[in-house]
Amino acid sequence: MLAITLVGVFGITGSLIVLFCAIAMFRANDALSRINVFSPATGLAMPLILLAAYIYTLWHDGFSLTRLFMAVAGFLALIVVSSVASNVLSRSTFAGGAPVWRHTSPNRLSEAPGEEDAGLTEYESTLADFDIDDSEH
């Protein structure tokens, strides 16, 4: 009985988070905000749904080391892939010239590069933003 309750709680919570994120995406004013709004769905809701599926399988079929490994690997993959995908989508959206809503505050993307970036190429400026030492390039 506890397993079915946990499956319901985790599954419904994850589904509601996805639903609320989807509704919020339609209310967002620009592409960057839409990507940002959907991050909780991929970073929190999908692992909750995966956990619900694993608990159900554990209750229905019993423990299996293979299924545990698959659940852990799926959980880690969801966390890593959603983080990287959100970052790549945001960077490509901005680099593609998608407009940012004018009331976004703070809007650091619209600020001019600082004086410390004067004379640097775009590649060198990006490395400086992230404090990366690329002396061999």
Side-chain angles (χ1 to χ4, degrees), residues 94 100 104-117 129:
F94 178 71
V100 178
T104 300
S105 177
N107 187 0
R108 295 190 180 136
L109 296 174
S110 67
E111 296 173 0
E115 292 297 321
E116 66 274 359
D117 291 342
D129 288 342

Side-chain angles (χ1 to χ4, degrees), residues 12 15 20-21 30 42 55 60 71 74 80 82-83 85-87 90 94 96-97 105 110-111 114-115 121 125 128 132:
I12 291 172
S15 300
F20 293 144
C21 288
D30 59 5
T42 57
I55 291 172
H60 189 265
V80 170
S82 70
S83 301
S86 293
N87 188 7
S90 298
F94 178 71
S105 177
S110 67
E111 296 173 0
E115 292 297 321
T121 65
S125 176
I132 298 173

